[in-house]
Amino acid sequence: MQQLRFGIPKGSLEEATIDLFGQAGWKISGRSRNYFPAIDDDEMTCALVRSQEMGPTVASGALDCGLTGLDWVMETEADVETVCDLVYSRASDKPARWVLIVDRESPIKGVEDLQGKKVVTELVGFTKRYLAERGIEAKVDFSWGATEGKVVQGLADAAIEITETGSTIRAHGLRIVCDLLHTHTVLIANKEALKDPFKKNKIEQVALLLTAALAARHKVLLKMNAPVAKLDAIVAVLPALNSPTVNPLTDEKWVAVETVVDRDEVRELIPKLRANGAEGILELDIRKLC
């Protein structure tokens, strides 16, 4: 039996990825320290690989595809195909940012001020290319963890670090100068694997369902009963994906209405719907949205 060899990012994205697969319809399980977790699909096998190593591992053919950050694909310049974008993380479903940070009192105001300075980062290859493209000569050193601390301690003039909110950076008395790269999770595939009909079809299945699961996280299904006489007013306040579904009830004076809306709009919508005559309003979670 053919099997798709899939890479699960080990580390900060691991739990979020397993949760996303669960929502998409696959159960991934494994004991602690097990680098080959089980998946309830006979057509797939999984391996845990660090995000930083996923690109080269997939490019080499050791895995057919996997999930990693766009930043690490760019860092390693891995020769892989990006199948789809999947914006999710452990903390939130928002893109992360690689930012230039300095001490709050530093005279550095822009990237151009890094000329002749020392910069520390985990994203060494990308940073060197970024600066070289702008004609800036700076010493770029690799930093594995505690990157911000090196700036605080005066061991480096600046750092390139990843953040989502910037709150930790500010708490350490540091300042964000500018963004260098916005990154998110991507599904990457080995180019030869995509030439295999079975693997290509399986990769596309995974991409479709993971994308559908993520899309559903930001939407809910609203269902309600509406008086026919007030239907136009009720429909007018519904921001439907296309148009709401309206079905007759046994009482000809009433209809059932349902539609998909943004999750964060519900708290404003329900009072408006009630004020316009809707009754029996239900809010339901959605597992997938294609």
Side-chain angles (χ1 to χ4, degrees):
M1 175 187 294
Q2 278 191 287
Q3 289 184 312
L4 182 74
R5 298 166 298 173
F6 198 99
I8 302 294
K10 181 175 176 58
S12 62
L13 271 178
E14 183 178 338
E15 185 177 345
T17 298
I18 291 173
D19 288 345
L20 179 59
F21 263 89
Q23 185 182 341
W26 286 276
K27 181 180 179 182
I28 297 176
S29 58
R31 297 176 181 176
S32 176
R33 300 181 184 276
N34 183 356
Y35 284 86
F36 300 95
I39 184 169
D40 61 343
D41 187 335
D42 292 338
E43 295 182 341
M44 292 178 66
T45 62
C46 292
L48 291 177
V49 178
R50 290 190 64 86
S51 292
Q52 296 89 330
E53 299 171 347
M54 189 69 74
T57 303
V58 171
S60 72
L63 292 173
D64 297 312
C65 59
L67 292 167
T68 187
L70 173 64
D71 46 358
W72 295 116
V73 177
M74 297 176 68
E75 169 70 6
T76 59
E77 298 184 285
D79 186 22
V80 294
E81 190 76 27
T82 298
V83 179
C84 67
D85 299 312
L86 297 163
V87 183
Y88 73 97
S89 70
R90 178 176 58 183
S92 67
D93 291 343
K94 296 180 180 179
R97 306 145 56 204
W98 283 91
V99 296
L100 169 61
I101 60 175
V102 298
D103 183 81
R104 188 177 295 155
E105 305 303 323
S106 171
I108 295 173
K109 303 297 182 183
V111 175
E112 63 278 2
D113 296 327
L114 293 179
Q115 184 71 32
K117 304 296 186 181
K118 179 180 177 180
V119 182
V120 290
T121 183
E122 189 178 348
L123 211 64
V124 173
F126 170 84
T127 300
K128 287 182 175 180
R129 293 191 298 273
Y130 184 95
L131 295 177
E133 289 169 0
R134 290 156 179 80
I136 300 168
E137 294 183 6
K139 181 176 174 55
V140 181
D141 286 346
F142 177 77
S143 175
W144 182 253
T147 303
E148 297 166 349
K150 294 179 175 65
V151 178
V152 174
Q153 297 168 26
L155 301 177
D157 298 296
I160 309 298
E161 182 66 302
I162 193 168
T163 185
E164 289 187 4
T165 65
S167 58
T168 302
I169 292 171
R170 292 188 291 272
H172 288 162
L174 302 172
R175 170 170 54 86
I176 295 177
V177 176
C178 62
D179 292 12
L180 273 67
L181 172 67
H182 287 195
T183 185
H184 55 268
T185 309
V186 290
L187 172 58
I188 58 173
N190 177 275
K191 292 182 177 180
E192 290 301 313
L194 288 174
K195 296 177 182 178
D196 180 287
F198 166 80
K199 292 181 178 181
K200 183 175 186 294
N201 181 69
K202 194 67 180 178
I203 291 169
E204 289 175 347
Q205 177 196 14
V206 173
L208 173 64
L209 294 178
L210 292 183
T211 302
L214 276 179
R217 290 183 175 182
H218 305 286
K219 304 288 184 178
V220 296
L221 176 66
L222 282 185
K223 303 181 71 170
M224 69 207 76
N225 292 335
V228 172
K230 297 182 179 181
L231 180 60
D232 289 345
I234 291 171
V235 170
V237 301
L238 289 175
L241 282 177
N242 294 301
S243 58
T245 300
V246 179
N247 291 311
L249 297 176
T250 52
D251 186 338
E252 295 181 355
K253 295 181 180 180
W254 288 81
V255 292
V257 179
E258 61 181 59
T259 190
V260 175
V261 301
D262 289 339
R263 184 181 297 274
D264 57 9
E265 293 182 344
V266 173
R267 65 185 182 190
E268 304 293 336
L269 276 175
I270 289 181
K272 293 178 182 178
L273 292 168
R274 284 285 297 174
N276 284 336
E279 296 184 7
I281 302 170
L282 296 177
E283 177 188 345
L284 304 174
D285 284 336
I286 302 171
R287 295 287 292 175
K288 300 175 190 67
L289 180 62
C290 295

